[in-house]
Amino acid sequence: MAGIVEMQNSPRVDRIPVAVKQACPTIWINPAVADSASVLPDLALGKADVDGAVARWQRFAPLLTRLFPEEVSGRIDSPLIPLAAGLSDTILCGAGGRVLVKADHALPVTGCIKARGGVYEVLAYAEALAAQAGLLAEGRSYAAFADPEFRDLFGRHIIAVGSTGNLGFSVGLMGRALGFAVEVHMSHDAKAWKKERLRELGARVVEHRGDYGAAVAAARNAYSGRGNAHFVDDEDSVELFLGYAAAALDLERQLAAAGIPVGPVHPLFVHLPCGVGGAPGGVAFGLKLLFGDSVHPVFVEPVASPCMLVQLAAGLERPVSVYDVGLDNRTAADGLAVASASMLVARTLEKLVRAVVTVPDDALYRWLKILWTEAGIRLEPSAAAGFAAAGRFAQTIPAETRAAATHVIWTTGGAHLPAEEFEAALARG
Ligand SMILES: Cc1ncc(COP(=O)(O)O)c(C=O)c1O
C-alpha cells in the first residue's frame, strides 16, 4: 500500500530528458502545445482580464508621470530595437529571419522586466486601499495618489515580497514612492548590491538561509491573513501575471509601427528568460491572446535551474523541483536561479509555450559581452539568456519559414547594474 501511495505521488521525472538532468544545453519542444483557439477559452484568465490590467495602467499614467517625470510619460515601456543585419545573423547562426530586442533591460524607473508585474501589483493594492478609504471621488486624477492623505493611508500598511532581487526592487521602489513600508525576503546568496539598493530605498531586507523559494515561503507564512499587509506572491499572483501580460500590447503596437507583419507566413518567435515563470508567462499569455498561433513563446532557462522545463515535462499532477532531478540550481543568472516553477504559470501556459531552451552560464557571459561591444546594450547575465538560445532554437524552425520569421529577444534587466558588477561580468565574456 505504501508503495502505491509513493508511486502516485512521485513526479514523472522519467519524462524529463536525460540531457536536462545532466545539465547539458537542451532544446525541449513542448509536446503538449496546441492551437490557441482550443486552449485559450478554457483558461481561467482571458482577454477581459488583460484589458482590465491595461485600463489600470492607464488610470495610473498621471501618477507615474508625476512620480518619475524625467523617465516616464504615462506608460512604463521600453523601446523595440532592431539589430544590425550582421549581428542578427550571428545570433541566429545563419538561420535567416530578423532579430529585434525588446529592451526591458532599460525599462524606465527600474531597468528590469519585473517592474511590469511588481509596480502593477503595488498600484492595484494602493487602488484597493484608496477605494476602501473613500478617497477615489469620481473624476479625481490618480496623480493624487502622491498627495499626503494617500501617503498617510499607505504608510499604515506593509507590502512584503520574496524575491531574487529585481521583483523586490520593483515592489520596493514603487511601494516606497507611495509611502508604504516594504519588506523584501531574499536568499542570503542573492546579489549583495541588490540587497543594498533595496536598503537605500528604505525597504527592510530579510535574509534567509535557503534559496529563493524558501524566502518566498517564509514571507508568505509571515504575512498571510494580516489585515494591514499585502504579500506579493511571485509564485502565485494573478496581479503580477496580468501586469506582465499588458506588455504584449506594447509589443503589438511597436511591431505595427515598424511595419513588421505577424501572421501565418510571418511567424513571431519571442525568446523570454524564465525564472519562476511569471514574467515570461504573463507576456506569452498576452501575446497569445493577440497573435494566436502566429506567435511562438520560447522560454529560456539556465542549465542548472530549468524549473519550468522540468515542471512541464514531468506533468502538472504535482510540483517538481530541479533538485528532484539532481540539479543544483546554481547559476550566474541570479534572476533565473529558481528551483520550482509557478504552478499558476505552468498550468496556464502548459499548451501555449512552444519550447524551453536551456543555456550554460558561459554563454550568458559571452552574449553579455557581444551585446555590449556590438550594440551598446548593457545586460545582466539573466537578461542575455535569449541570445544564447535563439540561434540554436532557430535551427528547429521549418526551413521554408525561417527567412520570414521575426525573433524578438526580450532583454530583462541590466541598465542599473553597478559599474563594477558590469565590468566583472564583461571580463568573464
Ligand atoms: C533579469 C531577470 N530576467 C528574468 C527574470 C524572470 O522572471 P520570472 O522569475 O518571473 O520568470 C527575472 C526574475 O527575477 C529577472 O530578474
Side-chain angles (χ1 to χ4, degrees):
M1 206 48 200
I4 293 170
V5 171
E6 209 174 288
M7 263 181 60
Q8 283 170 344
N9 284 340
S10 70
R12 296 298 311 271
V13 291
D14 53 310
R15 296 179 187 151
I16 298 164
V18 174
V20 172
K21 297 181 198 168
Q22 292 175 342
C24 297
T26 308
I27 299 172
W28 180 79
I29 305 289
N30 184 4
V33 84
D35 60 298
S36 307
S38 68
V39 176
L40 291 170
D42 290 339
L43 297 177
L45 296 170
K47 185 172 178 303
D49 301 293
V50 180
D51 289 346
V54 171
R56 178 174 281 129
W57 275 118
Q58 280 165 357
R59 287 197 292 282
F60 275 101
L63 174 72
L64 296 170
T65 307
R66 177 178 175 187
L67 289 175
F68 312 107
E70 319 246 286
E71 292 181 77
V72 181
S73 115
R75 175 92 176 104
I76 295 182
D77 190 25
S78 67
L80 181 66
I81 305 172
L83 293 183
L87 182 53
S88 293
D89 215 40
T90 310
I91 291 165
L92 294 179
C93 307
R98 83 180 101 204
V99 178
L100 297 112
V101 169
K102 182 65 181 141
D104 275 11
H105 67 282
L107 200 70
V109 185
T110 61
C112 67
I113 193 172
K114 297 293 283 190
R116 293 185 182 273
V119 167
Y120 178 81
E121 182 152 345
V122 172
L123 296 179
Y125 180 49
E127 187 177 40
L129 289 177
Q132 272 163 29
L135 296 179
L136 295 184
E138 181 85 29
R140 188 173 193 184
S141 164
Y142 274 33
F145 274 67
D147 287 353
E149 60 176 333
F150 284 79
R151 292 183 62 85
D152 287 349
L153 169 68
F154 301 147
R156 297 194 295 275
H157 294 80
I158 300 173
I159 300 181
V161 60
S163 171
T164 58
N166 285 335
L167 178 65
F169 181 59
S170 304
V171 167
L173 191 124
M174 194 63 221
R176 295 297 299 141
L178 290 179
F180 286 101
V182 175
E183 197 168 283
V184 183
H185 293 250
M186 297 171 84
S187 162
H188 70 286
D189 55 23
K191 296 272 180 208
W193 69 269
K194 290 190 174 176
K195 294 177 197 163
E196 202 37 52
R197 183 173 68 164
L198 278 163
R199 292 190 182 104
E200 281 164 14
L201 283 174
R204 197 164 97 85
V205 176
V206 182
E207 298 191 46
H208 295 269
R209 282 203 179 285
D211 66 4
Y212 147 89
V216 172
R220 188 185 293 121
N221 289 341
Y223 284 95
S224 67
R226 271 181 58 173
N228 67 337
H230 179 75
F231 173 58
V232 177
D233 195 334
D234 202 12
E235 291 177 345
D236 196 31
S237 164
V238 170
E239 298 294 13
L240 286 180
F241 189 81
L242 294 175
Y244 299 125
L249 283 102
D250 299 328
L251 180 60
E252 182 192 40
R253 190 176 21 79
Q254 289 171 321
L255 288 168
I260 296 173
V262 179
V265 290
H266 295 284
L268 173 65
F269 296 90
V270 184
H271 304 269
L272 293 148
C274 178
V276 74
V283 169
F285 176 67
L287 289 170
K288 276 286 171 189
L289 287 170
L290 295 174
F291 296 116
D293 296 332
S294 298
V295 66
H296 305 275
V298 178
F299 288 6
V300 189
E301 302 189 298
V303 289
S305 311
C307 62
M308 190 59 75
L309 191 168
V310 160
Q311 187 64 62
L312 293 177
L316 302 179
E317 295 88 359
R318 56 162 282 203
V320 184
S321 87
V322 303
Y323 303 128
D324 293 331
V325 298
L327 295 168
D328 65 5
N329 190 28
R330 300 201 74 79
T331 169
D334 58 315
L336 314 183
V338 176
S340 301
S342 158
M343 292 305 283
L344 166 73
V345 175
R347 290 202 173 98
T348 310
L349 274 293
E350 179 194 8
K351 297 177 182 162
L352 299 174
V353 176
R354 165 74 178 262
V356 184
V357 181
T358 66
V359 296
D361 281 4
D362 59 351
L364 301 179
Y365 286 119
R366 202 166 58 247
W367 282 104
L368 181 149
K369 183 167 182 178
I370 293 172
L371 266 294
W372 176 244
T373 49
E374 296 199 20
I377 291 176
R378 185 185 172 100
L379 301 176
E380 57 183 280
S382 300
F387 298 100
R392 284 168 43 224
F393 175 78
Q395 313 302 319
T396 71
I397 303 171
E400 63 282 7
T401 52
R402 285 183 197 171
T406 296
H407 295 263
V408 168
I409 300 185
W410 215 289
T411 53
T412 49
H416 292 189
L417 217 58
E420 59 279 16
E421 288 285 329
F422 185 61
E423 293 300 327
L426 273 183
R428 296 188 61 175

